[in-house]
Amino acid sequence: CRYSLYKELSNAPPTRYFPSFRLRILTKLIGGSNSSANVQNPGNESPYLLTVSNPVNTRRQRLSFEHMGLSAPMLETLARIGYHKPSPVQAGVIPLALEEYDVIGQAKTGTGKTAAFAIPILERLEINNKEPQALILTPTRELAVQVENEFRRLAPDNVSCCCLYGGRPINKQISQLKQGCHVVVGTP
């Protein structure tokens, strides 16, 4: 199993974004002592690629949600819905996303990918700003509804989320947007 994290860089040298200590930390958190981490830059216009292989065995200790710098309300929500320890993809993606890195995480179905990107989005929302601050596009209506439901499960009560897709009355969807919606989930 393999997890890839991408970071698009401007003209900064790679050591600024992926110093060796960071690679060791990511390797330890995601892959344990038997894993490998490599930084590659295929060309000037290509993103840097951080690949971590041999993800953490479930018996090994991973970074906890408490050590990720999440807010107290988010930690309470995670405990309430039964998220006690982050999955490998969550342990790899959440800390980088919270630091505003552009991240792509790849993992199998049922590994917590939606929470891996939803938690950092919810942590960075400006609650007083009712305009859309995040747009999540999914390939199908069914997945859009699943993603919206996961956002609603993770979000505090004062965060609004709406799902926009074809086959529903457009006026109701427009009304949801006009009322204010922090997170918009939909299909192209």
Side-chain angles (χ1 to χ4, degrees):
C1 195
R2 207 175 129 199
Y3 295 91
S4 299
L5 306 173
Y6 297 82
K7 168 67 181 138
E8 185 143 351
L9 303 175
S10 55
N11 294 324
T15 54
R16 178 172 170 216
Y17 291 93
F18 296 113
S20 60
F21 76 90
R22 183 173 195 76
L23 289 177
R24 285 195 301 275
I25 290 170
L26 282 170
T27 301
K28 188 171 185 176
L29 296 177
I30 301 171
S33 60
N34 295 327
S35 67
S36 62
N38 301 314
V39 176
Q40 302 168 2
N41 183 7
N44 287 342
E45 299 299 317
S46 300
Y48 280 81
L49 166 64
L50 171 62
T51 302
V52 181
S53 55
N54 299 331
V56 172
N57 185 318
T58 54
R59 287 175 275 164
R60 293 188 188 193
Q61 181 147 357
R62 287 193 293 270
L63 180 71
S64 68
F65 286 117
E66 290 81 13
H67 292 101
M68 290 184 185
L70 300 176
S71 66
M74 178 58 72
L75 292 173
E76 290 171 14
T77 299
L78 293 172
R80 180 178 45 80
I81 63 176
Y83 282 33
H84 302 292
K85 286 191 176 184
S87 68
V89 71
Q90 292 166 346
V93 170
I94 293 171
L96 292 174
L98 288 172
E99 291 181 30
E100 298 186 29
Y101 284 95
D102 294 331
V103 181
I104 298 175
Q106 180 180 350
K108 292 182 179 182
T109 300
T111 57
K113 292 182 298 295
T114 303
F117 70 82
I119 291 169
I121 288 172
L122 292 169
E123 285 289 281
R124 300 195 50 80
L125 287 179
E126 295 175 15
I127 302 300
N128 296 330
N129 181 357
K130 291 288 189 181
E131 293 188 6
Q133 298 173 49
L135 172 65
I136 293 90
L137 295 177
T138 65
T140 65
R141 284 186 258 182
E142 294 78 12
L143 186 56
V145 170
Q146 287 176 13
V147 169
E148 179 198 25
N149 289 338
E150 185 67 9
F151 264 90
R152 288 185 188 276
R153 245 175 45 130
L154 292 167
D157 292 336
N158 57 350
V159 171
S160 59
C161 183
C162 60
C163 192
L164 309 176
Y165 55 84
R168 280 180 51 203
I170 190 73
N171 291 337
K172 182 177 179 181
Q173 296 179 62
I174 291 171
S175 174
Q176 283 181 308
L177 283 173
K178 285 182 178 179
Q179 290 175 7
C181 190
H182 296 101
V183 179
V184 177
V185 183
T187 58

